[in-house]
Amino acid sequence: DKQESLEAVTIIETPPITVVGIVGYIETPKGLRTLTTVWAQNLDEQCRRRFYSDWYSSKKKAFTKYAKKWTENAAELERELTRMKTYCTSIRVIAHTN
């Protein structure tokens, strides 16, 4: 029992990133289809800027309604996460660099 054990790993060097959401996919005959997307509760201003073509003149309202969901209806978000765990064949992360 004094044998060495080996595990294969992959090391990826990336800039600092923040996970802002996850997307669940299901397998269909035509390929992957999005089942649901869950975003983080608080998105950094730097992240929200990337969703606008003209941040300066915009109202900066992106994800405000979704953030309200987190406070009012957290059970619905938990249901979405449970649904992802049971039905999705692959789950991917939405990330942005800091």
Side-chain angles (χ1 to χ4, degrees):
D1 292 305
K2 294 190 178 203
Q3 296 177 352
E4 290 185 26
S5 63
L6 298 174
E7 282 190 43
V9 296
T10 303
I11 298 172
I12 301 172
E13 290 189 28
T14 63
I17 60 172
T18 304
V19 175
V20 294
I22 55 175
V23 182
Y25 295 95
I26 56 173
E27 188 71 39
T28 64
K30 293 183 179 181
L32 291 177
R33 182 180 71 83
T34 304
L35 178 68
T36 187
T37 304
V38 178
W39 293 92
Q41 181 179 8
N42 297 319
L43 295 179
D44 192 19
E45 179 184 331
Q46 202 175 34
C47 175
R48 290 187 296 134
R49 283 181 87 107
R50 296 188 184 204
F51 292 100
Y52 286 97
S53 60
D54 187 11
W55 175 257
Y56 179 74
S57 64
S58 68
K59 294 183 181 177
K60 301 165 185 63
K61 298 270 296 171
F63 297 100
T64 54
K65 291 181 182 177
Y66 194 83
K68 208 179 283 186
K69 264 190 193 180
W70 272 98
T71 56
E72 295 173 357
N73 208 356
E76 179 184 339
L77 294 171
E78 287 297 323
R79 186 178 62 81
E80 290 293 322
L81 289 173
T82 306
R83 191 168 149 223
M84 286 175 97
K85 289 177 190 174
T86 54
Y87 297 115
C88 292
T89 55
S90 66
I91 295 177
R92 296 181 182 169
V93 169
I94 302 170
H96 86 95
T97 58
N98 293 339

